[in-house]
Amino acid sequence: MAAPEMAALLLLSFTVILLRSSSVRSQGLQIGFYDSYCPDAEDIVRSTVEQYYDRDATIAPGLLRLHFHDCFVQGCDASVLISGSSSERSAPQNFGLRGFEVIDDAKSQLEAVCPGVVSCADILALAARDAVDLTGGPSWSVPLGRRDGRLSSASGANALPSPADPVSVQRKKFADQGLTDHDLVTLVGAHTIGQTDCQFFSYRLYNFTATGNADPTISQASLAQLRALCPPPSGGDPAGRRVALDQGSPGAFDVSFFKNVRDGGAVLESDQRLWSDAATQGVVQKYAGNVRGLFGLRFGYELPKAMVRMSSIGVKTGGQGEIRRRCSRVN
């Protein structure tokens, strides 16, 4: 590379770093926030996530989903962790959330070495990053400094996307959080390691829109595969049966999910609808591509940026909120 080209590249890289740093500071978050106050914080969270992942790899998508559900309701303030009959955690949209014990375990260890320093909200953000990394996905530096919220209401869970949402509704829900169509598709790509229950999509297989037929957007190969995994209600209740959201390579963080969407193999209706909208289809196609390695690396490059944007939604910093001593209840 010629000297002028190298200089231009270095200048561009430096400019990007400055912009990212400015964006992080504007949210009151900072990479390395605990370096002076609790230097082992990130290592403790990482080792805790690893221990649970080694016992059960399906905890990884659980932790990622837990962070997502937290951020979409009142911002990333760990309000989803609060127990109570009318808390977010009790809302129907949050049934099936997993990973609470991982966060509680990490919090307990952190309180033993750095009492009152590390927030539950930051533990959630770190655990989500580590979960992605452990499944073969990208890693990234997590801006920290979130404080925990004191309020948690089940009604707030209405802001969460639903498995049957059309793209217009998904777009609105993401836009309400300051996220774009590109963010929407990128973040939904996390379904590459997720699972769901048959009850959330079996209507697509047997009686879509009360026609007695399957959803016509499902490919025949995928239809046969999903019907084998989720028998019709008359043959037994499909509820409780867990199915991988990425039938191509479940458990591996790659671009197979986007290929499924392109080819009519998405499990959830909301995921498959991303192919029917011109704007979201373009992003799906970009990630699915034709060359697995090249486009997989591009998804790996875009996801960390989208995760940092999502994990900055409505954060509480400085004198806002509190640092909970236990994540399941306010101080």
Side-chain angles (χ1 to χ4, degrees):
M1 182 180 291
E5 294 174 329
M6 178 64 77
L9 181 59
L10 290 173
L11 177 60
L12 176 61
S13 299
F14 182 65
T15 301
V16 170
I17 291 171
L18 285 177
L19 287 173
R20 287 180 180 170
S21 298
S22 175
S23 175
V24 169
R25 285 197 299 270
S26 70
Q27 297 293 331
L29 303 179
Q30 178 183 331
I31 292 171
F33 181 82
Y34 295 110
D35 286 355
S36 299
Y37 308 105
C38 191
D40 294 329
E42 295 196 36
D43 290 339
I44 289 172
V45 175
R46 171 72 183 205
S47 65
T48 305
V49 174
E50 283 182 344
Q51 289 170 17
Y52 283 85
Y53 179 80
D54 288 344
R55 293 199 293 265
D56 177 10
T58 65
I59 199 63
L63 289 168
L64 189 54
R65 184 170 179 246
L66 192 59
H67 181 45
F68 179 92
H69 278 230
D70 178 48
C71 290
F72 262 63
V73 184
Q74 296 186 169
C76 309
D77 65 350
S79 53
V80 74
L81 303 179
I82 297 175
S83 298
S85 59
S86 60
S87 67
E88 283 174 42
R89 190 166 169 172
S90 69
Q93 295 92 330
N94 287 326
F95 289 172
L97 283 183
R98 302 178 59 213
F100 295 100
E101 72 281 10
V102 183
I103 307 302
D104 288 342
D105 192 343
K107 177 62 173 175
S108 177
Q109 295 179 57
L110 287 164
E111 284 297 297
V113 295
C114 309
V117 173
V118 183
S119 69
C120 300
D122 277 345
I123 296 172
L124 269 175
L126 289 168
R129 185 271 309 275
D130 294 338
V132 171
D133 183 44
L134 286 168
T135 57
S139 186
W140 59 92
S141 297
V142 179
L144 301 168
R146 298 166 191 79
R147 290 173 66 84
D148 301 321
R150 296 189 178 96
L151 301 175
S152 183
S153 174
S155 62
N158 292 327
L160 290 164
S162 162
D165 280 346
V167 175
S168 59
V169 175
Q170 295 184 65
R171 176 177 287 123
K172 174 67 164 56
K173 289 180 177 179
F174 275 73
D176 286 345
Q177 308 298 339
L179 300 172
T180 65
D181 283 356
H182 190 276
D183 293 324
L184 160 61
V185 178
T186 304
L187 292 169
V188 168
H191 285 172
T192 184
I193 59 169
Q195 292 182 320
T196 190
D197 194 291
C198 287
Q199 64 180 314
F200 295 119
F201 69 91
S202 60
Y203 67 91
R204 299 183 66 211
L205 309 181
Y206 303 103
N207 192 27
F208 186 65
T209 63
T211 62
N213 299 312
D215 183 342
T217 63
I218 305 177
S219 70
Q220 288 303 304
S222 293
L223 180 61
Q225 186 177 23
L226 292 173
R227 280 179 168 174
L229 293 169
C230 298
S234 59
D237 184 1
R241 297 174 184 263
R242 303 289 294 176
V243 174
L245 289 169
D246 178 0
Q247 291 294 302
S249 56
F253 210 99
D254 55 23
V255 297
S256 174
F257 169 81
F258 296 107
K259 295 178 184 293
N260 294 340
V261 173
R262 179 194 63 193
D263 299 335
V267 174
L268 297 179
E269 181 181 0
S270 57
D271 290 349
Q272 190 58 59
R273 295 298 172 260
L274 296 175
W275 191 249
S276 65
D277 179 271
T280 54
Q281 182 186 107
V283 185
V284 171
Q285 181 62 68
K286 179 179 70 174
Y287 289 144
N290 295 309
V291 183
R292 183 185 180 91
L294 174 64
F295 285 87
L297 287 174
R298 184 163 182 80
F299 174 52
Y301 173 75
E302 297 292 341
L303 180 76
K305 295 190 294 182
M307 286 295 296
V308 169
R309 284 192 289 271
M310 186 198 75
S311 66
S312 300
I313 295 171
V315 294
K316 295 171 176 61
T317 59
Q320 301 170 319
E322 64 182 14
I323 304 297
R324 285 187 223 137
R325 289 186 290 273
R326 291 182 59 182
C327 292
S328 61
R329 67 188 189 195
V330 299
N331 292 339

